[in-house]
Amino acid sequence: MIVWQTNTQRNFRIVIPELFHEMKKVYSTLRGFDVLKITKYSFGSIVADLEMTISKNMSPHDLIQKSEILIASLTASLNLETTGVVDLTMPHNPVKYGSQQQLVCTSQEDLSTMPVWWQKKDNEKAYSITNGTEADMTLTTRTSRLTLKNMSAFWEGQYTCEFHQKKGSLYINHSASAVMDVALLPNIFITTVPEFPRCRTMEDLLEVRGKCLIREDNETYTVTWRSQDMLAKIIPLKADYSSGEAVYAAETGVGCNSPQQRPKLTCTFHNILNQTRDASFDINIIYVGESFCEAEGDWGEAKAGFTAVLQCKDTDGLRQRKCSDNSTWEQEEADCVNKNVSMLLRSAQVVDIGRGSLNENAEEVFNRLGNVTNNSMAINTVSNVKATVDVLGVLSQQQRLRLNGSGVDGFLESSSNLMEKSLEKTWTEKKDDGNLSLAETYISSVEKLIEAANITTNNTLKNIEVATCNKEQGSGCTNTAFGVTVDFDSSDNGSVATAGFKQLENYLPHRDEKYGVNSIVVMTTTQKKHSGSVVVKIKFPLLRPRPRNVEIKCVSWEYATRQWSPRGCEWMGPHDDGHCVCSHLSSFAILMARDPIVLPGMAEITIVGLSISVMSLVINLVIELIVWRAVVKTNTRYLRHVAQVNISLCLLVADCCFLASFKPHEIPEIWCKALVMLKHFCYLSMFFWMLCLSSTLLHQTVFLFHNMSKKIYIRFYISLGYACPLLIVLITFLTNSGGAEGVYFSKETCWLVYSGLFRGSIHTFIIPVGTIIIVNVFSMVVVIMKLLDHPKNAGSPDDRSAAKSVMRTVILLTPIFGVTWIFGFGVTIVDLSSGIAASLVNYVFILLNSFQGLFILLTTFLGDNLTREALLKHLKKRASVGDSSMTLDTTLKK
């Protein structure tokens, strides 16, 4: 074809002859020139198709020189295609299936350019031939040898060898073409109708039809049949062609009188070169008296202990259903794959055989895969999803693969489509066959493909988001995917990709029943391997809020053990729930414990402590009853002992309620709610009575000679000790959804709800108690100051005795003032997952407060001189009365 830039206003009757004359003048000087003719032309610039015949061997260099002269004289561009300059040597047709063949392409002289091979089959596009698993080329500027290692249907068609020469506006293509035919062999599926012939009597001769199914192709096969242990002659039937399949059938018969025999039917396909491939089928006869499963739906009768097989309808694959030994049908197992998906998998398996560029073939497969997976209903079976994931798996094994442009788009689109919520059941259906699960294959394949992909911009799809950044010397880089922030740092430079996956956390195998996945899965990888250390800081938004004292693990997927592993990752603690730091690249997630941390021995200490406290508090009340008249002689002492009695009574009831609700899961919810309200009221009431006691002591210390009005103070104390707690409990109950579970109280703990700092019903307990403890501590400080001031006023200071007085005061007042509960603030604030300090605070709180009743007995009742003396006096009096009675009794007996 020649393109001549000339004045378009000139008459074509003049232009075309002028062009022909100029071309003939130049090319007629070539050796062997025979005929030149213009076959077609068009106007604008003059575009003419020409055909030239050379009767003798022509030098390609001469053709170039003459063409350059023509281009110069016409100011035109020239595209030439030659035949005869290049010779293509082919094997004799047809070639054997599975054989190795060599094609040789040779030019008449060195053309100073490397040849290109093309193959075109039927109506398909032309594929360039490259080095691959089934093709091997050796190239020189004159000769090229193409070795095809495994001849199959892929390699039949027309082959073209081309040498391209370009010089300025001259382009010459020297080519040679030839056709190669391959004698094919089919994949065979064989069965019989019926699949399990059943004998009614031992004399029966059962008719059986054998069927061999193949995909229809261009080969003309000769099919022969042979049998083993058959009683009847085999009669071949006419082949049936439909829906791209060919069915070859034959009829025969089997007997019922020889249960030891196992008849077998075999079909053999012969191609034009007499190569063969066969398939055999054992005919399992249901003999008289043998167990079998009755026909059901598509399934005919089947022999017990055997598996029936059917071909899938309108899809590729097989359906299987076992008839158990007890003659009942088991669940059907179908491996039926959508034909489009099946074709994609076959295409993926041959992307690197050498028929077309690996990258271009993979790009085409990914584009088709994206379109197929867009319709999730079309692939909504385990077999379809498995085949689709297998496509990703096969392509991820191609180490030379480099994805660009639409290939990246198709890969990401199909990867996202596979995570659709509508496909959830296909991912979670368990098959414990020892092989990798679908999710494991998926994540491994996607990771390798992301490494092979040239991703330069952020890509956000419905279920997958990929972000990239460039790590430069002296700085890190940050990616964000679905709200997860990943900071990457390393001594090496390069591109860093982070991918976030929705739903994948639900599909990866997880064997640790104590922990559950509580974040999306995030993958971080680099396009080149990093030789130095890496630091990956990840901030996950949690899928579910972390309750208090619940441990979190930062984990990465470990391919060797096929499970989540905390190795190389560290959780940054409860102050930043979703923050992880890892020292390697992988796929990451967060695991959260299903239950809060339980400190060892905590339950035992609590039960023992509360039991002792309950007994101690009962003793306290008994002591008060005994010594009341002896010690209560002033208004101040009266008020003090009234407060002590009410403190002991409230704590006794509260501790009993605590013991009653110690195992929340064993009591009804209504009882749990009632016990929570009672504990809430009694513990608050105890602290308000402690406030009464501390105010009495403070008044007595500061206003030493002021008389207290017993009636006024008693009314005030009762209002403060019972009315205020009752009001707090009722308001809390009503404002928290009427005492609803999870709002006012927790069924799991049978106590108030803590939802965070200043959140939850627990704060209606913490705030009043905290305020009272502060007031009580203030009262203690005032008392201590007065004690320290007393020796100075007396004129005989003694540091040792002052210190003893202070220590004694602190020890005596701490339990009855509830100061030990100050550790409860630490328990509330400090999370058990923080470490050993948090555990220590919890142990101290439990030890001090579960034994609070005992401490009150020892410090307040037995530690008070007047109370102790009155008690001892009472006991001695009872003892003396007892002795007198015994003496009198002895005297009377004498």
Side-chain angles (χ1 to χ4, degrees):
M1 180 180 72
I2 185 169
V3 180
W4 182 22
Q5 304 287 343
T6 185
N7 187 348
T8 57
Q9 300 300 320
R10 297 175 61 190
N11 192 316
F12 77 93
R13 296 179 183 275
I14 300 172
V15 172
I16 297 304
E18 181 181 335
L19 176 63
F20 178 77
H21 174 76
E22 191 65 28
M23 293 170 63
K24 187 172 183 180
K25 183 177 73 173
V26 173
Y27 287 129
S28 62
T29 60
L30 286 170
R31 187 179 66 171
F33 175 81
D34 187 4
V35 177
L36 172 68
K37 58 182 177 181
I38 294 176
T39 59
K40 183 180 178 183
Y41 55 84
S42 60
F43 292 96
S45 296
I46 302 298
V47 180
D49 292 344
L50 59 101
E51 186 178 292
M52 181 168 55
T53 304
I54 307 293
S55 60
K56 295 182 179 180
N57 287 341
M58 173 197 67
S59 169
H61 290 294
D62 287 345
L63 179 62
I64 291 175
Q65 290 176 358
K66 303 301 182 184
S67 298
E68 286 180 327
I69 294 172
L70 177 63
I71 290 171
S73 64
L74 293 176
T75 313
S77 61
L78 183 61
N79 293 341
L80 295 178
E81 293 183 7
T82 72
T83 57
V85 174
V86 175
D87 179 61
L88 180 57
T89 304
M90 300 283 290
H92 294 293
N93 282 326
V95 299
K96 287 188 174 183
Y97 183 87
S99 64
Q100 179 173 299
Q101 302 295 332
Q102 189 174 79
L103 290 71
V104 181
C105 177
T106 307
S107 65
Q108 294 178 6
E109 58 185 63
D110 191 337
L111 298 177
S112 302
T113 184
M114 295 295 183
V116 178
W117 287 87
W118 297 87
Q119 185 242 10
K120 190 175 186 304
K121 178 182 176 183
D122 298 332
N123 296 322
E124 296 180 5
K125 71 174 186 178
Y127 287 91
S128 63
I129 299 177
T130 61
N131 286 320
T133 57
E134 294 185 10
D136 184 41
M137 292 188 300
T138 57
L139 303 174
T140 67
T141 54
R142 185 172 183 183
T143 302
S144 173
R145 299 179 186 276
L146 170 61
T147 302
L148 302 176
K149 304 173 185 178
N150 182 26
M151 298 307 299
S152 64
F154 287 112
W155 293 112
E156 64 179 4
Q158 177 177 287
Y159 285 80
T160 302
C161 174
E162 297 177 345
F163 286 83
H164 300 154
Q165 290 183 304
K166 190 174 189 311
K167 196 170 183 182
S169 56
L170 172 64
Y171 175 82
I172 303 179
N173 178 20
H174 306 286
S175 66
S177 298
V179 174
M180 185 180 320
D181 291 328
V182 180
L184 303 176
L185 285 176
N187 293 320
I188 309 167
F189 171 73
I190 184 171
T191 187
T192 62
V193 180
E195 188 176 359
F196 297 92
R198 181 161 73 92
C199 298
R200 267 68 177 180
T201 67
M202 295 184 65
E203 291 76 25
D204 285 348
L205 177 64
L206 304 177
E207 181 180 307
V208 176
R209 174 174 292 191
K211 285 186 175 184
C212 287
L213 290 79
I214 65 169
R215 290 184 184 277
E216 190 175 359
D217 54 39
N218 296 326
E219 187 71 25
T220 302
Y221 296 105
T222 301
V223 181
T224 60
W225 296 82
R226 67 178 187 274
S227 63
Q228 175 182 315
D229 295 332
M230 296 284 193
L231 296 183
K233 182 180 178 181
I234 299 175
I235 303 174
L237 303 176
K238 184 179 180 181
D240 179 34
Y241 301 92
S242 63
S243 303
E245 290 185 339
V247 181
Y248 295 82
E251 290 183 346
T252 185
V254 293
C256 294
N257 56 355
S258 300
Q260 300 82 11
Q261 295 180 346
R262 290 290 180 268
K264 179 184 287 187
L265 188 64
T266 302
C267 62
T268 303
F269 284 73
H270 307 254
N271 65 18
I272 195 171
L273 296 179
N274 207 32
Q275 290 179 283
T276 61
R277 177 173 287 176
D278 58 30
S280 298
F281 188 85
D282 292 323
I283 303 175
N284 296 296
I285 302 171
I286 305 172
Y287 290 99
V288 176
E290 289 186 329
S291 300
F292 65 95
C293 293
E294 297 283 353
E296 184 180 290
D298 294 340
W299 303 94
E301 295 173 337
K303 191 171 183 177
F306 288 80
T307 300
V309 179
L310 293 176
Q311 199 173 29
C312 297
K313 295 180 180 178
D314 302 321
T315 55
D316 291 341
L318 301 174
R319 299 162 60 198
Q320 299 185 58
R321 194 178 186 190
K322 186 176 181 180
C323 176
S324 65
D325 293 334
N326 59 2
S327 303
T328 57
W329 285 109
E330 294 183 2
Q331 190 70 28
E332 175 183 336
E333 293 185 9
D335 189 21
C336 301
V337 180
N338 182 297
K339 288 184 180 293
N340 290 329
V341 176
S342 181
M343 289 173 60
L344 272 172
L345 182 56
R346 289 196 296 271
S347 297
Q349 291 165 342
V350 296
V351 290
D352 197 27
I353 62 174
R355 186 171 179 258
S357 160
L358 166 62
N359 293 337
E360 291 177 358
N361 289 343
E363 182 177 320
E364 181 183 351
V365 169
F366 277 125
N367 288 333
R368 290 164 55 196
L369 185 63
N371 293 331
V372 168
T373 56
N374 270 330
N375 182 7
S376 59
M377 295 306 297
I379 60 169
N380 195 11
T381 66
V382 174
S383 299
N384 279 318
V385 171
K386 182 181 183 302
T388 308
V389 172
D390 284 344
V391 173
L392 298 177
V394 169
L395 293 175
S396 70
Q397 299 303 316
Q398 301 297 332
Q399 296 183 356
R400 297 187 299 112
L401 178 64
R402 291 295 175 268
L403 285 177
N404 292 284
S406 63
V408 173
D409 295 339
F411 153 58
L412 294 178
E413 182 179 13
S414 55
S415 301
S416 174
N417 292 339
L418 283 170
M419 290 290 105
E420 279 294 323
K421 188 75 173 175
S422 59
L423 299 177
E424 182 177 10
K425 288 185 178 179
T426 65
W427 287 93
T428 53
E429 184 173 311
K430 294 183 178 179
K431 286 188 176 181
D432 191 11
D433 54 6
N435 297 322
L436 290 179
S437 66
L438 283 179
E440 290 175 89
T441 304
Y442 174 88
I443 194 171
S444 172
S445 304
V446 171
E447 181 175 347
K448 292 175 183 176
L449 289 169
I450 286 178
E451 290 176 359
N454 181 24
I455 303 175
T456 56
T457 59
N458 292 356
N459 294 265
T460 302
L461 291 91
K462 184 177 179 181
N463 298 302
I464 183 172
E465 181 174 2
V466 181
T468 61
C469 62
N470 191 37
K471 165 67 178 67
E472 296 179 350
Q473 194 66 36
S475 66
C477 71
T478 302
N479 287 325
T480 300
F482 289 136
V484 180
T485 302
V486 178
D487 294 321
F488 178 86
D489 198 7
S490 169
S491 56
D492 297 330
N493 298 331
S495 178
V496 180
T498 296
F501 303 87
K502 291 183 179 178
Q503 309 300 331
L504 184 57
E505 71 276 4
N506 300 319
Y507 307 148
L508 284 167
H510 182 51
R511 302 183 183 91
D512 191 347
E513 294 183 358
K514 293 182 179 180
Y515 288 83
V517 183
N518 195 25
S519 72
I520 66 169
V521 176
V522 169
M523 174 193 301
T524 296
T525 185
T526 57
Q527 286 191 338
K528 67 176 184 178
K529 299 297 180 183
H530 281 242
S531 57
S533 61
V534 300
V535 177
V536 184
K537 298 179 181 179
I538 314 166
K539 290 188 177 181
F540 287 97
L542 299 184
L543 299 179
R544 300 177 302 281
R546 184 187 72 89
R548 271 180 51 76
N549 301 328
V550 172
E551 188 180 12
I552 275 181
K553 286 183 181 179
C554 294
V555 293
S556 62
W557 185 255
E558 201 168 77
Y559 292 102
T561 59
R562 297 175 56 192
Q563 61 183 344
W564 293 111
S565 169
R567 192 178 295 112
C569 289
E570 182 182 0
W571 181 44
M572 292 294 97
H575 61 281
D576 195 356
D577 286 344
H579 193 185
C580 301
V581 176
C582 299
S583 58
H584 59 280
L585 298 173
S586 183
S587 296
F588 305 101
I590 276 183
L591 300 185
M592 187 172 75
R594 301 185 190 279
D595 300 305
I597 296 171
V598 177
L599 294 176
M602 188 73 77
E604 291 79 3
I605 294 172
T606 302
I607 292 175
V608 171
L610 288 176
S611 301
I612 292 174
S613 283
V614 167
M615 290 186 291
S616 300
L617 291 167
V618 172
I619 294 171
N620 290 348
L621 295 174
V622 172
I623 290 173
E624 280 288 357
L625 186 64
I626 292 171
V627 303
W628 184 268
R629 288 185 179 181
V631 298
V632 178
K633 294 182 178 179
T634 65
N635 288 349
T636 302
R637 287 189 176 276
Y638 177 82
L639 294 173
R640 176 181 165 191
H641 281 270
V642 166
Q644 289 177 182
V645 168
N646 282 280
I647 289 169
S648 297
L649 186 61
C650 291
L651 184 57
L652 176 63
V653 175
D655 285 352
C656 289
C657 292
F658 200 103
L659 287 171
S661 61
F662 192 73
K663 294 183 178 180
H665 57 279
E666 295 181 3
I667 60 176
E669 184 176 312
I670 187 66
W671 279 104
C672 182
K673 182 189 292 189
L675 289 170
V676 170
M677 289 186 68
L678 200 53
K679 284 188 288 185
H680 191 187
F681 170 75
C682 288
Y683 279 126
L684 277 178
S685 186
M686 177 191 74
F687 275 98
F688 275 99
W689 277 106
M690 286 178 176
L691 178 62
C692 295
L693 181 61
S694 70
S695 63
T696 301
L697 184 61
L698 183 62
H699 183 275
Q700 184 182 1
T701 304
V702 176
F703 305 104
L704 189 60
F705 302 105
H706 185 271
N707 291 324
M708 302 179 70
S709 174
K710 185 165 63 174
K711 290 183 179 181
I712 295 174
Y713 273 94
I714 283 294
R715 291 172 186 170
F716 173 72
Y717 284 178
I718 291 175
S719 299
L720 187 64
Y722 291 115
C724 286
L726 182 61
L727 194 60
I728 292 172
V729 171
L730 289 176
I731 292 173
T732 305
F733 183 86
L734 295 173
T735 56
N736 283 274
S737 301
E741 197 280 327
V743 182
Y744 172 69
F745 76 102
S746 169
K747 179 67 173 67
E748 295 179 358
T749 60
C750 261
W751 185 227
L752 302 173
V753 173
Y754 178 81
S755 305
L757 193 60
F758 297 110
R759 289 186 291 116
S761 59
I762 189 69
H763 290 91
T764 62
F765 177 77
I766 292 174
I767 293 172
V769 168
T771 305
I772 291 170
I773 289 175
I774 292 171
V775 173
N776 290 354
V777 170
F778 173 75
S779 300
M780 284 179 60
V781 170
V782 172
V783 171
I784 291 169
M785 294 291 289
K786 285 292 183 180
L787 285 172
L788 292 174
D789 189 51
H790 179 70
K792 295 179 182 180
N793 296 335
S796 55
D798 187 339
D799 291 341
R800 183 175 295 179
S801 62
K804 286 182 179 179
S805 297
V806 171
M807 288 298 297
R808 184 174 181 276
T809 303
V810 170
I811 292 171
L812 291 177
L813 295 181
T814 294
I816 199 67
F817 277 8
V819 178
T820 55
W821 282 70
I822 201 167
F823 288 96
F825 293 100
V827 171
T828 304
I829 296 170
V830 181
D831 200 287
L832 281 176
S833 59
S834 300
I836 192 168
S839 301
L840 185 61
V841 170
N842 276 263
Y843 277 117
V844 171
F845 174 76
I846 292 297
L847 283 169
L848 291 178
N849 291 289
S850 61
F851 289 94
Q852 187 177 8
L854 175 62
F855 295 146
I856 290 175
L857 171 64
L858 295 175
T859 59
T860 303
F861 290 87
L862 300 181
D864 181 65
N865 290 332
L866 288 176
T867 303
R868 189 169 63 250
E869 290 173 1
L871 181 61
L872 289 173
K873 185 177 180 180
H874 175 78
L875 294 175
K876 286 179 182 179
K877 183 178 180 182
R878 291 294 300 270
S880 63
V881 170
D883 291 342
S884 300
S885 298
M886 289 179 65
T887 302
L888 179 61
D889 185 55
T890 304
T891 304
L892 290 172
K893 287 180 178 180
K894 287 181 179 181

